[in-house]
Amino acid sequence: MEISEIRVLMKYEFHCGAKTRQTVTNINSVFGIQVATSPTVARWYKKFRFGDFDLSYEPRDRTKTQVDNDVLKNTVEANSSQSARGLSLMYNVSKQTILTHLAQIGKVKKLDKWIPHELTDAQKEEA
C-alpha cells in the first residue's frame, strides 16, 4: 500500500470523526499491523485540525549536528579518559550524538579510555 493512500484513509477517518486510536485500529485491521502508527496519525490529525488538508509529502527538518568529527577526534586524543557524558556537556549535544560521532571516527571505549577500533588479523579474515 502506498503512503499517499494511507494519508487519504487518515483524511477520510478524520472527516468521519474517528479519534487517532480508532483510525490506527481501522487501517491496521484491514491492511495489516503497523501500516498506520499512532504518532503518524496524530501528526496528520494535527494538520487537519488547523485546516491543512494537503496530503503531499513535506520533508521534516532535522537539525544539523553541531559536532565536527575532526574536532571531537582531537579532543578525545588529547584526553582519552573523558566520558561520553562529559563530552556531550562540552559540545552541548546528547550523549547518543556523541556516541554516534565517536563510532563514526572509529573510537571505542576500552579500560575507560577512547581508543581506535582496529580489527585483529583473525577478525579481518573472518569478515
Side-chain angles (χ1 to χ4, degrees), residues 60-66:
R60 292 182 281 170
D61 291 333
R62 284 208 167 151
T63 56
K64 295 281 184 182
T65 181
Q66 299 169 347

Side-chain angles (χ1 to χ4, degrees), residues 15-76:
H15 283 298
C16 287
K19 301 288 184 201
T20 302
R21 186 177 299 177
Q22 186 60 46
T23 298
V24 172
T25 302
N26 291 346
I27 293 172
N28 288 341
S29 67
V30 174
F31 297 102
I33 298 173
Q34 294 300 314
V35 170
T37 62
S38 290
T40 301
V41 173
R43 188 175 65 247
W44 282 95
Y45 268 32
K46 183 178 178 182
K47 283 181 60 168
F48 297 156
R49 278 192 295 277
F50 285 107
D52 183 0
F53 293 99
D54 180 19
L55 299 178
S56 60
Y57 174 73
E58 296 174 6
R60 292 182 281 170
D61 291 333
R62 284 208 167 151
T63 56
K64 295 281 184 182
T65 181
Q66 299 169 347
V67 179
D68 181 358
N69 284 349
D70 293 330
V71 175
L72 178 62
K73 185 175 182 179
N74 291 336
T75 302
V76 170

